[in-house]
Amino acid sequence: MTEQFEDLNLRPELAQAIATLGYTQPTPIQSGIIPLMLAGHDVTGQAQTGTGKTAAFALPILERIDPNQYLPQALIVAPTRELALQVTEMIQALGQFMDVRVLTVYGGTPYNQQLNQLRRGVQVVVGTPGRILDLIKRARLDLTEVRTVVLDEADEMLSMGFVEDVEAILAATPVERQTTLFSATLPSRIRELARRYLRDPKLVSVTPEQVTVSSTEQRVYYVNEFDKLAVLTRLFEMEEISSGLIFTRTRVRTGELVNELNLRGYPSEALSGDLSQEAREHTMARFRAGQVRVLVATDVAARGLDVEGISHVFNFDLPEEIETYIHRIGRTGRAGRAGVAISLARPSERRQIRQIEQFTRQAIVEGTVPTAEEIQAKRLDGLLDKIEMWLKRGRSKEERALVETLVASGADPIELAAAALKIARAEEKQRPIPEISPLPEKAVRPERRARSERTDRASSAEPRDRKPKAAASPAKPRASIRGKQSDEEGMIRLEMGLGKVDGLRPSDVVASIAGIAGIPGNALGRIYIQNHRTTVDVSEEFLEKVVSANGKFKVRGQSFTLTRG
Ligand code: AMP
């Protein structure tokens, strides 16, 4: 098994793209598939979405592309338009430093653009079976140079009734082609398809980590990034947490969250990698003994934390990997007790949640954040329960004597009880119910309006926004007609309405813009990600190409446009 990308000896352009995308190690399916495909074998890959299967076949295809040949060299058949687009996005991201021509073809769209691109020459075609077959029949798609065919999500294609189309497509490709088939499941019909069309295929199978997440109640709350703490404290009010484990993305966030929770009246402790082994053991022991009810940790810090019967796992930040999610929530509901796993996700993370659902084949129910009224009612219920309990117990001898003395000296019993309740509720005041902002209206996504709405809340972070404006000096006459001048010669500064709160990273920005606009990654210069917007410097030479791709840009599931600020 290949443990490192370097061992695969990929072209430097691919190694650069892998690094830009932030992949550090091949996933198991990639370790298995890539060397086999590079060696020319036919392969059956049993893998679901989320395992890295797309890059597993995209990398060998890109590695073996002949840059001087402009007839399709690889054909990827996918059951749906959405998947076809995702595959294209991945190929473009991985091929961002290679100048590779990829065409996506699917039904329901006019032929013109697809035909034009075919005329100009393409190297990789990704599409749905119906439209591919259509183009073959119209003699518009020349498959004579195809060396690799990928059937992606073959089980889906079969269940959607595409088997005959797929067979007809395969018949139009050269017999000496390499054929690979990817499928989440391998029922007999898939095995039969593989037997008929693949030559001595090797099987690489990645089955999900065997864990029982079925006894865990999984919920997700979609929230603004800056509201996560507020939502967490609201949930603390409503949930019966006997022991809770909160996962954050970084060590710094762990510390911050613990401080904030304690300040707001929700005691918690950090399980940090910074602590000495002894201190960690001590914290874990106190957690096990129930002296600490809530622990906040990163995945790394929580390694080796073996505690039975955690009632709640909170994903304050979603993990990067699905396996990590499963590992985290596998800690709840042990010893026969049902646990609750709650994820706080940004609206832009819907896709990740869907992928986790597909992977685990379990539903993650979308919850509604408790309202202030619900919390008040719950607090009142709690108070009444306590009163009832003490009335039943009847062991308030000293207090009873005190009441008798006060009533004897003229106090009204009802007034007295009200005053006592007031005192009893004083600690609630330590936990004011925090405000929560509505989510931005995603469908319309009027970026500027959403941004100005958020500005009030995140005002402390906003002053940084002004910096690039100052850098783009209005004194330069070209700025007004050509867009903002970057600090760098020959670069133009463009702006987009997504930022840190949308989870943007520089690698996403490069992959998306370069991939979708079809420009080399090094045509992009400085990228400055602020909370709610991002500026990107683009080489003047490629400016038109980038601006004309507006309407197509997408990153982390969200569309964006690039404007000249
Ligand atoms: P897929 O299973 O192809 O849908 O990929 C799932 C996700 O994994 C995608 O968002 C990829 O960007 C990401 N991914 C693919 N390969 C790697 C890798 N080696 N390391 C980290 N993430 C990866």
Side-chain angles (χ1 to χ4, degrees), residues 5 22-27 30 48-55 86 90 321 351 355:
F5 278 116
Y23 302 166
T24 48
Q25 246 191 334
T27 64
Q30 291 164 359
Q48 292 168 326
T49 300
T51 51
K53 68 180 169 70
T54 318
Q86 278 172 24
M90 177 57 78
E321 309 283 337
R351 185 163 170 253
Q355 287 183 344

Side-chain angles (χ1 to χ4, degrees), residues 13 90 96 337 509:
E13 298 96 320
M90 177 57 78
Q96 60 181 291
R337 266 177 284 175
V509 179

Side-chain angles (χ1 to χ4, degrees), residues 2 26 37 50-51 85 160 162 189 208 269 282 371 449:
T2 317
M37 277 185 75
T51 51
L85 287 167
M160 289 166 81
F162 285 138
R189 285 170 68 211
E269 280 191 26
H282 187 62
T371 61
R449 192 177 44 142

